[in-house]
Amino acid sequence: MPDRIYFDHSATTPLDPRVAFAMNLANIEAHGNPSSLHSEGRQARDLVDRARGQVAALLGAPPAEIVFTASGTEADNLALLGAFRIGSEHAPGHMITTPIEHPAIIETCRFLEQSGVQVTYLPVDEHGLVDPDTLLKAFRPNTRLVSIMAANNVVGTLQPIAELARIAKERGALFQTDAVQSAGKVPLDVNREPVDLVSMSAHKLHGPKGIGALYIRSGVHLHPLVFGGGQEHGLRSATENVAGIVGFGTAAQLAADNMTDEAVRLVQLRYRILAGLQEVLPQAYLIGHPFKRLPGHLCLGFAGQEGESIRLLLSLDEAGVAISSGSACSAHKASEPSYVLLAMGFDPIRARGTLRVTLGRFNTTEEVARFLQILPQAVNSLRPVASYAGFTR
Ligand code: PLP
């Protein structure tokens, strides 16, 4: 499909050919089990160790503080369930999060609530931002964990993680951040930001699907979810997915090597799309923070046409453009209002009608120019705009 335009990088990213090459090599040349003592095993172990260093470097962390998991979802589960030691004799306690987290956090919180943990969901403003003052006020004597995502997958808003983590630290609670969307795109340095736990996933940064990682600051003790041979410091037993880990390491290194230039390039493309659309579609509006957002992330609404986002998505697909209407994880609930937008104060009608346009490494200015031809045609072919005068969020 050479002429198709892929603008759905928040759902997943295409594998970088350099990552594919490194994975193929690992698959062919390092078939040993990293736990084996012979040369083949040691060769596989060396590859895993090298990749651990590459993923750790993305956060400025020591390699020993990275645990590989099977996904970002599993990293989130390990952080939350592991911190509360569900199933042990520990008293449940309290945690703080937001209502706009990914389901990997929200559903884990639901499970924790059923297990007796009290969960506070902090409000967010109309851009999806958490006010640090509300975090300050939400602490209780038994607050053990704060979990706030670094970047939202639906609207792209970046949270002030350093400030929020500092507050949690001062109150003696652990701070976890789901950095699945932001890792490799915006800097997060564990030496400057006092985060304790950071979830990541390779397939959001041009790495393979089915491999994630949790950064665990030295001294933080988690309870494992998977028991067995004791791999990954006993926190994630299972024979390592060597090729997946090598792919993650290579992807992390490539992202780190070019993070600033790539962010600048994507921001320029994003502004070009927004300006181009607003010139011809006055009903188009940006959702999420105007500039505290992921570099290549646009979440768009079309005032008066909110009920049409699925038709728009399908018509764009037919015209050769892959975008999504919110989060890929909720594609099967596409006609329901987005819980993220509801939490940001959107009414249920407007919360149904968003288009998520997310750019990545291989997108070009030529594709952006083509998209700016295709999208207005697709929007104008929908039912007429009812009225967008006096529109408010
Ligand atoms: N957290 C966020 C913010 C995400 O966007 C996603 C995936 O979309 C996940 C967690 C889950 O990651 P994975 O697909 O690796 O399970």
Side-chain angles (χ1 to χ4, degrees), residues 10 71-73 76 102 104 149 151 153 178 180-181 201 203-204 329:
S10 281
S71 60
T73 299
D76 282 338
H102 187 272
M149 67 202 317
N153 45 308
D178 176 337
V180 167
Q181 288 290 340
S201 180
H203 75 100
K204 308 289 188 182
C329 303

Side-chain angles (χ1 to χ4, degrees), residues 9-12 69-76 100-105 149-154 178-182 199-204 208-213 327-329 356:
H9 290 79
S10 281
T12 194
T69 61
S71 60
T73 299
E74 190 188 310
D76 282 338
I100 63 167
E101 300 295 313
H102 187 272
I105 294 289
M149 67 202 317
N152 182 266
N153 45 308
V154 177
D178 176 337
V180 167
Q181 288 290 340
S182 65
S199 306
M200 295 177 281
S201 180
H203 75 100
K204 308 289 188 182
K209 295 167 184 59
I211 184 79
S327 161
C329 303
R356 188 178 68 171

Side-chain angles (χ1 to χ4, degrees), residues 24-38:
N24 279 342
L25 212 60
N27 266 328
I28 292 164
E29 293 194 350
H31 61 269
N33 185 324
S35 298
S36 299
L37 292 180
H38 45 61

Side-chain angles (χ1 to χ4, degrees), residues 76-114:
D76 282 338
N77 274 258
L78 176 58
L80 270 56
L81 300 177
F84 277 96
R85 296 174 166 256
I86 291 303
S88 75
E89 71 288 356
H90 283 246
H94 171 243
M95 74 167 277
I96 303 171
T97 187
T98 80
I100 63 167
E101 300 295 313
H102 187 272
I105 294 289
I106 296 280
E107 294 303 321
T108 307
C109 286
R110 300 260 180 271
F111 175 76
L112 285 171
E113 284 177 293
Q114 285 160 16

Side-chain angles (χ1 to χ4, degrees), residues 280-304:
V280 291
L281 293 172
Q283 72 270 39
Y285 58 95
L286 180 71
I287 300 169
H289 199 279
F291 54 90
K292 291 177 188 170
R293 57 187 307 120
L294 286 168
H297 194 298
L298 277 166
C299 184
L300 300 167
F302 299 95

